Amino acid sequence: MSKKKQPHKTNAVRFLEQKKVSFETEEYSWTEEHVGAKDTAKELGIPENELFKTLVTVGNKTGPVVAVIPGNKELDLKKLAKISGNKKIDMLPMKELEPLTGYIHGGCSPVGMKKQFPTYFAIEGKSLPIIRCSAGMRGLQLSINPIELVKIVGGQFADVTND
């Protein structure tokens, strides 16, 4: 298992260590005004398309559905609804994020949520050797092979972003 310094043991980090998955974490500076993917990518000195944001939605039939998409893309709610078996899907209200997932806005990871929800990763990530996503707290990013990440959370790649 490959790791950089591990100053924080988030649920995501613990889960990956338990499953013996190869990953690295990287700390970065953040402020309340800068919790978006664009600011994080800039702080880390990486292209926005390599930094993936974790978005939690609610489907009218399935309940919570997670989408993990590149920082430079927008989630297409209609595509996500269709692929997840819903007629309609909406963003989860921010005040419900932490009670549902255990994570706060700007620190939501697709790994180690309180419960594993259906998770769809943008197809754009499938061809990348490494993607970065939140490691479960603001200021901490996870670098991991996208195929391994999808496998470990029981997710799937899908076309879920706006063209």
Side-chain angles (χ1 to χ4, degrees), residues 5 23 29 37-38 40 42 77-78 85 92 102 109 113 115 126 131 137 146 157-158:
K5 127 183 168 185
F23 69 96
S29 298
K38 181 178 274 192
T40 301
K42 186 176 179 183
L77 293 172
K78 288 181 180 179
L92 180 77
S109 177
M113 290 185 182
K115 181 181 176 206
K126 193 173 187 178
I131 63 169
M137 64 179 283
F157 287 104

Side-chain angles (χ1 to χ4, degrees), residues 31-103:
T31 65
E32 290 291 338
E33 295 80 39
H34 300 96
V35 294
K38 181 178 274 192
D39 293 318
T40 301
K42 186 176 179 183
E43 184 69 32
L44 292 171
I46 62 169
E48 273 185 83
N49 70 312
E50 291 178 16
L51 182 78
F52 281 59
K53 51 191 175 184
T54 304
L55 305 172
V56 183
T57 64
V58 181
N60 68 320
K61 293 183 179 181
T62 64
V65 176
V66 177
V68 186
I69 66 170
N72 64 340
K73 296 280 187 160
E74 295 293 323
L75 178 62
D76 186 318
L77 293 172
K78 288 181 180 179
K79 287 180 180 178
L80 183 60
K82 185 175 182 180
I83 196 85
S84 65
N86 288 284
K87 285 210 181 279
K88 186 176 191 286
I89 211 160
D90 294 303
M91 295 302 298
L92 180 77
M94 203 173 316
K95 68 180 191 293
E96 296 176 24
L97 183 65
E98 188 173 9
L100 183 70
T101 67
Y103 293 127

Side-chain angles (χ1 to χ4, degrees), residues 130-163:
I130 294 288
I131 63 169
R132 291 177 175 93
C133 62
S134 176
M137 64 179 283
R138 292 175 182 163
L140 191 65
Q141 287 292 301
L142 174 68
S143 296
I144 190 167
N145 177 284
I147 306 294
E148 190 72 25
L149 179 58
V150 169
K151 187 171 96 177
I152 202 79
V153 300
Q156 68 183 66
F157 287 104
D159 177 14
V160 294
T161 59
N162 288 331
D163 297 322

